[in-house]
Each structure stands twice: as C-alpha cells, then as structure tokens.
Amino acid sequence: MWGIVRKKVGAGASCILTSGQALQRLRPAASASRYYSSAAKEMTVRDALNSALDEEMSADPKVFLMGEEVGEYQGAYKITKGLLEKYGPERVLDTPITEAGFTGIGVGAAYHGLKPVVEFMTFNFSMQAIDHIINSAAKTNYMSAGQISVPIVFRGPNGAAAGVGAQHSQCYAAWYGACPGLKVLAPYSSEDARGLLKAAIRDPDPVVFLENELLYGESFPVSAEVLDSSFTAPIGKAKIEREGKDVTITAFSKMVGYALKAAEVLSKEGISAEVINLRSIRPLDRATINASVRKTNRLVTVEEGFPQHGVGAEICTSVVEESFGYLDAPVERIAGADIPMPYAANLERMAVPQIEDIIRAAKRACYRAVPLAASG
C-alpha cells in the first residue's frame, strides 16, 4: 500500500486559493505523562487556539496578529474570531495576498521588540515566505551574536486536509524541523494547542506552529489547570498519551489520534502499545522516546509527511544511536506515500497512513504477523 513505508534498521541488520470563502467549502463543520484524563470540561482545538491568542494579547500589548482575513472575516478557520472587535485594527491586521510581504514585515517588527503572530492560510503558502522564515528569522540571533532576538510565531494548518490536492496538502514538519534557529511545534489536543501556542508566543525565538485543519473542530477534555491563564506546555517535551510495555508508537498532530485508536485495537489482541505524542518536532524529546524504547524494545514511527528525510527517519536514527542494543525487532516506519497528494478521495486515502497500517506495523514489530518483506 502507498501509505506504508517501512525502514529496517533494527538489531538484525500552483493553483492557489486566494480567499477564506473559497477554502470554506473544504473544511469539516509540562510533563511527559498525560494529565487531563480526569478533566470534566471539553474544548475544541479551535477554541483552545482562540483563547490562547486572546489571553496573550490581553497580557502583552506587544503581541499582534497579521495575515490574510484574520480580521474582518475573523480568520479563514475562525481561529481569530472576535479578536478584531476586541483589540482593534492596529493589533489584528488583515494583509494582502502576499506571504512574502507580510512575513517580512512581521520579522522586521520582531527585530524591534514586538511579538507578531503571523497566520498562513495553509503552510503550503509559507513557501512564498520561506526566505524570511529561514534566513531572516531563524538565523538572525546567531548572526548577531545574540544581540537580536526574533520573538515571532508562524502558525496555520499543515499537512493533508481533504480533497485539496497536492499543492495544499503537504506536511512541513521535516522541512522546518531541519533548520537550526527555529522551534517547531505540532499540537494534537486542545491542551497541546492552548499550552504550546501560549508558550510559543512567550518564547524569545521564532516558532513554527503546525496545526491541522481536520482537528480544529475536534473536542478534547481540558482540566482547570489547562484553562488557567498562566498555563503553558513545555516546548521540547513529548507527552505519553498511553502507557504500554510491548511496543512504542510515536506520532504527532492528527496521527496521534490514529495511533491511540490503533493501540486500543492492539490491546484487544494482547499487545500493549505505548503512544508518544511528540508535540515538539524541534527540539525533539529524544530522552522520552529512547526511554520508552528501552522499556518496550520495539518502535513504530507514524507521520503524514513524505518518508525520505522525514521526522520518523530522525527518530529511527536517534534510537539506533542511543538504544540499538535494546531493540528486539526492526524499526517500523509509517509515512505518507512518496508522491504528490492525489486529488481523488480513494487515492488520497491510500496516500496517507491509516489506523490499520499502524496496527499491521505494530504486529510485525511484535512478530504477530508475516514480515512485510516476505508478504509479497
């Protein structure tokens, strides 16, 4: 299947949509341990992001928002709903359709001590502005010998949505995760979204904040601690969403939900899977990953992005370098197909990992199924 890519490293061996209205039809209506399990209240990821922006703007007058349709239209995905009315057009700036232009303005504002939050309608459009993100934002602190900080957040939906084709479906986690000077975050739950966005806005360095369009309407339990205005989630710290002893599954963003569902199925077949929500792509929490693998002795990595030079490849390398002697099976790497995203729904499903792909990989790692290489 296209959606499965397996790497053996174990012990044995452009049409650009230009308005939120056009995109609307495509939308569906600091511990390593999970600590919201007993929460009574639920919150959507959309509301978690909105509340984080609202609270940080209220707390710090240097924080401002800019991007296409963040103001009058209240955000292409309604993340910035109500903020123009509350804070006015000087702090919620609608921009022309020119990512290179407004991203450069944002970086310049950060040079002078402001704290811009730049929204991309999709991170695919950040390619128009990647010179500012990499060369102007990520490298300036180093090149100025620490004299210039660049406290800026680049946020928006990343990765595959539904039926939007190759030019609007790419995952940029590995792209930006490869660049020194950036911090790269990928939230899954409402707790992640709220805590990590608040931490990103407060951080003195540039942060790439990779959301997922299909998660905006999802509701998750949140505790009173998470709802407190002082709450932040730690950058660079993964979260163990489900403890297990037989196999470690790492994932980020929407794939965390898939991994949890796969773990539930596996539990009924006697396989105890530990699911790690990476949350932070750069810095990567290698310590939590390796500690888990040393316990379970097996690893499955899951991501939507391309397989070559992917996040999973980096995790595999880390485990081989630090925990090779603990592996009892080859590492299983699940990723998107090594092709541009198809438009047709049936082909699109084949091009991204599915729950059954994760289940099969975990079974192979636990020697509960015929190895992939022998199944042809």
Side-chain angles (χ1 to χ4, degrees):
M1 177 174 287
W2 290 356
I4 305 176
V5 177
R6 182 169 181 268
K7 180 70 174 177
K8 277 196 172 186
V9 293
S14 104
C15 176
I16 300 176
L17 300 182
T18 58
S19 72
Q21 291 92 337
L23 284 175
Q24 187 70 35
R25 64 184 178 84
L26 303 174
R27 282 177 220 121
S31 162
S33 298
R34 183 181 184 181
Y35 53 81
Y36 57 63
S37 57
S38 62
K41 181 179 173 64
E42 290 207 343
M43 173 182 276
T44 66
V45 171
R46 176 180 287 106
D47 289 342
L49 294 167
N50 178 269
S51 67
L53 291 170
D54 186 8
E55 289 174 12
E56 294 306 301
M57 292 182 75
S58 178
D60 189 344
K62 293 181 179 180
V63 179
F64 72 95
L65 314 181
M66 63 189 308
E68 295 160 8
E69 299 184 340
V70 298
E72 294 289 347
Y73 191 65
Q74 308 204 60
Y77 303 92
K78 306 308 179 204
I79 305 299
T80 54
K81 184 177 181 180
L83 299 182
L84 173 63
E85 181 180 1
K86 185 171 182 178
Y87 297 103
E90 290 189 354
R91 296 185 64 194
V92 182
L93 284 73
D94 279 321
T95 67
I97 304 169
T98 170
E99 283 79 10
F102 66 74
T103 304
I105 291 171
V107 173
Y111 284 176
H112 287 274
L114 298 179
K115 297 181 179 180
V117 179
V118 175
E119 176 179 312
F120 296 118
M121 200 176 290
T122 160
F123 257 93
N124 297 271
F125 299 163
S126 75
M127 293 184 71
Q128 302 290 326
I130 199 166
D131 179 59
H132 290 301
I133 298 169
I134 303 298
N135 283 326
S136 300
K139 299 177 182 178
T140 294
N141 185 260
Y142 173 83
M143 295 180 71
S144 68
Q147 296 181 80
I148 302 175
S149 294
V150 191
I152 187 171
V153 176
F154 307 101
R155 56 154 296 270
N158 171 70
V164 292
Q167 293 173 329
H168 301 81
S169 300
Q170 195 159 311
C171 176
Y172 287 88
W175 285 55
Y176 290 117
C179 182
L182 290 177
K183 294 174 181 176
V184 182
L185 307 178
Y188 161 61
S189 66
S190 299
E191 176 186 312
D192 293 349
R194 180 172 159 81
L196 290 173
L197 184 54
K198 290 170 75 70
I201 293 171
R202 298 180 190 185
D203 199 272
D205 297 314
V207 179
V208 171
F209 198 84
L210 303 172
E211 301 156 12
N212 186 281
E213 179 184 336
L214 299 181
L215 287 176
Y216 284 148
E218 292 289 320
S219 293
F220 293 87
V222 288
S223 65
E225 178 187 5
V226 172
L227 294 174
D228 189 276
S229 61
S230 64
F231 172 77
T232 61
I235 293 175
K237 190 67 177 174
K239 182 168 60 176
I240 297 174
E241 297 281 355
R242 179 184 178 120
E243 293 188 354
K245 59 183 178 61
D246 295 328
V247 60
T248 297
I249 304 175
T250 65
F252 61 94
S253 191
K254 186 161 68 78
M255 289 294 105
V256 176
Y258 282 29
L260 289 169
K261 291 176 181 176
E264 186 64 29
V265 174
L266 290 166
S267 70
K268 297 175 182 177
E269 301 186 31
I271 297 175
S272 174
E274 182 149 294
V275 178
I276 298 178
N277 172 7
L278 296 176
R279 296 196 302 183
S280 181
I281 306 301
R282 186 182 185 102
L284 186 66
D285 188 357
R286 302 170 194 273
T288 293
I289 296 167
N290 278 277
S292 177
V293 171
R294 292 181 182 198
K295 178 178 68 173
T296 67
N297 310 116
R298 295 171 175 84
L299 173 65
V300 177
T301 71
V302 187
E303 64 187 306
E304 279 190 341
F306 300 134
Q308 187 159 318
H309 311 305
V311 174
E314 179 64 25
I315 292 171
C316 292
T317 300
S318 175
V319 168
V320 167
E321 290 174 344
E322 299 180 40
S323 305
F324 181 78
Y326 291 84
L327 287 172
D328 286 343
V331 173
E332 297 281 346
R333 185 158 58 101
I334 306 298
D338 199 19
I339 57 168
M341 181 65 71
Y343 177 74
N346 58 330
L347 297 179
E348 181 181 63
R349 189 182 189 281
M350 295 176 69
V352 295
Q354 302 298 325
I355 296 168
E356 54 265 32
D357 300 334
I358 303 171
I359 293 170
R360 282 194 291 265
K363 286 183 176 181
R364 288 195 299 270
C366 294
Y367 299 109
R368 295 288 191 90
V370 178
L372 190 63
S375 63

